[in-house]
Amino acid sequence: MYTFTGVSASPGIVMGPVEQIDHGTAGLHRIVCDPFRERALYDVAVVLAKDELRRLSQRAKGPDADILLFQIALLEDESFTNEIGDYIAAGAGGAAAVERAEQIFAGRLNNVDDEYIRERSVDVCDVCRRVVDILDGRPRRRLHLKRPSILVADRFFPSDLFSLDRRMILGLASNQDSTVSHAAIMARSMGIPAVVQLGDGVAALAAGHLAILDASVGDTGTFIVQPSGTHMAEADCKIAQSRLHGRTPDPVAALLCLTKDGTAFRLLTATNATSDPEEPLTQGAAGIGLLRTESVLLDDLPEETQFSTLREKLQNSDGAMVAVRTCDTNADDNSPWTAEMAKRLHGHRLFFPQIKALLRAAPYGDLRVLFPMIAGVEDWESCMREVEVCRTQLRNAGVEMQSPPFGCIVDMPSAALLAGELIDHGVQMLAIDIEDLTRYTMGLVQDSDAAVNRVDNPAVQRLVKEVVEQARARGVEVYLCGITVASITRIPVYLHLGIRAFSVEPAALLPLKKLLMAEDLRKE
């Protein structure tokens, strides 16, 4: 029996056989042809890879589809293609050139400040490995599950999971992935247990054996390979209890959001622009507190597509608030598409098609618009000038529109300290991204896991208190967003600092609600 301890990324407990996803070693038995032939082979491999990704994207939804569209966009990126072409022209083989580009571009993403963009380094590795496998003649579907199994890997690539029947996946165990990796996010969306950061060699050791994956208690998860009879009996009991619980709706979802002393609070959910627009608000959420729109930047979606998606999202929200976080290239420094995006923006801060789509969609529901990366009044006024340009263009074209409330994401200390000035210059609501604010305040821009564990740091609390006081004095709504499963135990302190609304990823809604309902503000 071998017991390994890691970090719980998605709650639950399962027991079953283990199947390993092994990305293998590429580069064996390669023969390098002349540069013209190598470039032709590379071009053909890219066409095949894009076709495979498009077929996968047709079956994917929400963030899953977003990941695949990003991979297609990378293969079409001019700087990425030029990097590979130059190396092939210098005499390298197509596969080696792709592997070199993978190291360069994944490395750049790993150094980007924005956490969401930084996590996409695994997508670069994923799509590059797909092209390399085509060039090397290796199969892209490496695993066919014949029975429900626990999947293990050194690190999961998104396509590892897209190509599998998810009904056959009992759980995920990873040597390296973090709680904010795509594998962890997908596990939570799929409702399957996951334990990450188990350490080197665990996946290979567990392959082919029976194992228990237990992420049912707290932040720590365990992975027991070749368990004893006693451990198996205990796991059977826990699994039976969880299944019984799963058949009965959690009664907490229907309860009023009230603390022990009767103080009311609101829970909002967080989602992605490409998620199913017909999906109802889950588990009693009062609205969408953070609708991410990176797909606008990554996929260059036309205005009409954005408008249709937003309108449908608003119409299906039954009057509930939908707060959209706009795109901002200031958060994407060193990304492979930054230069092209900057050129396309012509010096502007906002994407005009997105703003015009938001103005057009506003009449269809309770839409709010939030600008990220606002360091101060100058940034805010720059955004509002560009909004006015969009208004004028729509007005001149005779297009129906409406101005929704505009606000900003408080993700930097300067925005927190200047919250009063921002409100005085027209900010109508503030959403404090607690994880980003912690990263920028504590110097943890490159370490999201450490930031999650310090979101209740006294310095961060002081900044949040400053925002709450300035907003309250001016009658402006303020709420907390950027809350994940990993950080919920540290969030109740902000209830005591005056926060009354919280935007949470779906998997954390009920756990946070239970914690907040147990608080008693009379003890202050």
Side-chain angles (χ1 to χ4, degrees):
M1 184 180 76
Y2 304 90
T3 301
F4 303 95
T5 301
V7 177
S8 173
S10 182
I13 178 171
V14 290
M15 178 168 59
V18 175
E19 292 285 352
Q20 182 183 13
I21 293 179
D22 184 5
H23 297 123
T25 302
L28 300 177
H29 311 299
R30 284 178 182 163
I31 299 175
V32 179
C33 305
D34 67 88
F36 293 101
R37 180 169 172 75
E38 288 293 332
R39 179 55 191 255
L41 291 171
Y42 166 73
D43 289 340
V44 171
V46 167
V47 171
L48 292 174
K50 287 163 63 176
D51 285 342
E52 291 176 359
L53 291 168
R54 288 193 181 98
R55 286 197 296 272
L56 286 173
S57 69
Q58 290 172 359
R59 302 195 303 268
K61 288 185 178 181
D64 295 1
D66 200 35
I67 292 167
L68 295 167
L69 292 173
F70 164 79
Q71 294 189 7
I72 293 172
L74 180 64
L75 292 177
E76 297 172 343
D77 183 83
E78 185 177 355
S79 60
F80 179 80
T81 303
N82 289 343
E83 185 73 41
I84 293 170
D86 290 345
Y87 202 52
I88 291 175
V98 175
E99 290 171 340
R100 178 175 177 270
E102 174 188 342
Q103 294 177 352
I104 293 171
F105 283 80
R108 289 177 185 172
L109 290 180
N110 279 323
N111 292 323
V112 172
D113 291 346
D114 184 85
E115 177 189 355
Y116 182 82
I117 300 298
R118 188 168 64 251
E119 282 295 330
R120 287 193 180 269
S121 64
V122 72
D123 297 310
V124 175
C125 298
D126 193 7
V127 70
C128 286
R129 179 55 62 94
R130 181 179 294 274
V131 175
V132 168
D133 284 347
I134 293 172
L135 290 168
D136 284 345
R138 288 163 50 93
R140 267 77 73 204
R141 183 174 179 132
R142 300 181 181 86
L143 184 64
H144 177 67
L145 295 177
K146 297 180 179 179
R147 55 183 177 173
S149 303
I150 299 172
L151 299 184
V152 296
D154 184 58
R155 189 180 187 190
F156 287 102
F157 288 170
S159 61
D160 293 334
L161 305 179
F162 292 148
S163 60
L164 296 172
D165 183 348
R166 299 189 182 187
R167 294 170 298 180
M168 304 294 280
I169 304 174
L170 292 176
L172 302 178
S174 167
N175 295 355
Q176 296 184 25
D177 284 305
S178 73
T179 57
V180 291
S181 67
H182 285 314
I185 293 170
M186 290 173 69
R188 290 194 287 270
S189 68
M190 292 159 61
I192 63 173
V195 176
V196 298
Q197 298 178 18
L198 288 165
D200 293 339
V202 174
L205 184 147
H209 296 294
L210 180 73
I212 298 170
L213 188 151
D214 189 353
S216 60
V217 180
D219 297 331
T220 300
T222 58
F223 187 51
I224 305 174
V225 181
Q226 295 180 301
S228 66
T230 301
H231 282 93
M232 292 171 65
E234 291 175 349
D236 281 336
C237 182
K238 284 186 177 181
I239 292 169
Q241 290 175 343
S242 67
R243 286 174 178 167
L244 179 62
H245 178 74
R247 295 192 190 103
T248 306
D250 194 322
V252 174
L255 297 178
L256 296 176
C257 290
L258 297 173
T259 62
K260 274 189 175 181
D261 60 293
T263 300
F265 59 89
R266 298 178 72 226
L267 289 178
L268 308 166
T269 190
T271 186
N272 192 287
T274 54
S275 64
D276 186 351
E278 296 184 0
E279 185 179 68
L281 294 172
T282 58
Q283 304 177 68
I288 297 175
L290 192 66
L291 182 70
R292 299 184 67 106
T293 58
E294 280 80 2
S295 56
V296 173
L297 184 153
L298 298 174
D299 306 327
D300 194 20
L301 299 180
E303 177 188 328
E304 200 61 38
T305 301
Q306 296 181 57
F307 165 65
S308 298
T309 301
L310 287 165
R311 179 181 59 188
E312 195 170 359
K313 185 81 71 174
L314 287 164
Q315 289 174 331
N316 285 299
S317 67
D318 293 327
M321 178 184 88
V322 176
V324 174
R325 178 193 188 276
T326 65
C327 293
D328 191 293
T329 53
N330 290 345
D332 305 327
D333 296 338
N334 298 321
S335 300
W337 55 83
T338 299
E340 182 181 346
M341 285 296 113
K343 187 187 303 181
R344 190 181 303 165
L345 284 169
H346 302 296
H348 297 299
R349 183 183 176 98
L350 303 175
F351 286 85
F352 281 17
Q354 180 180 44
I355 298 303
K356 288 192 282 188
L358 287 163
L359 293 171
R360 292 173 58 192
Y364 294 92
D366 185 6
L367 175 67
R368 322 284 179 91
V369 179
L370 300 169
F371 300 128
M373 303 298 290
I374 299 294
V377 171
E378 183 178 351
D379 288 341
W380 168 258
E381 292 187 334
S382 174
C383 288
M384 294 311 296
R385 283 194 295 271
E386 295 182 16
V387 169
E388 186 56 39
V389 171
C390 294
R391 281 198 194 100
T392 301
Q393 292 178 358
L394 290 174
R395 191 181 301 117
N396 291 341
V399 177
E400 181 184 1
M401 63 171 173
Q402 179 178 309
S403 289
F406 288 95
C408 67
I409 302 283
V410 179
D411 45 17
M412 293 186 287
S414 60
L417 295 171
L418 298 173
E421 285 89 337
L422 287 168
I423 295 170
D424 292 341
H425 282 78
V427 169
Q428 295 170 279
M429 67 183 303
L430 297 166
I432 304 171
D433 190 319
I434 193 63
E435 186 177 326
D436 279 353
L437 183 60
T438 302
R439 291 195 299 127
Y440 286 112
T441 302
M442 306 304 298
L444 297 170
V445 175
Q446 303 297 331
D447 194 345
S448 55
D449 286 340
V452 166
N453 294 323
R454 302 183 71 177
V455 296
D456 57 349
N457 180 272
V460 181
Q461 289 188 44
R462 186 172 297 182
L463 289 171
V464 172
K465 185 178 181 181
E466 180 75 15
V467 176
V468 170
E469 290 177 349
Q470 293 188 49
R472 182 181 295 155
R474 293 165 173 81
V476 167
E477 180 183 358
V478 58
Y479 65 92
L480 222 60
C481 64
I483 303 170
T484 64
V485 170
S487 64
I488 58 171
T489 58
R490 302 174 185 274
I491 298 303
V493 65
Y494 293 107
L495 189 69
H496 295 265
L497 291 179
I499 295 291
R500 294 293 180 264
F502 305 82
S503 178
V504 194
E505 69 173 352
L509 271 167
L510 287 185
L512 179 61
K513 183 175 182 179
K514 294 174 183 178
L515 289 174
L516 297 179
M517 289 178 67
E519 293 296 306
D520 190 341
L521 275 61
R522 292 172 298 189
K523 297 180 180 179
E524 303 184 349

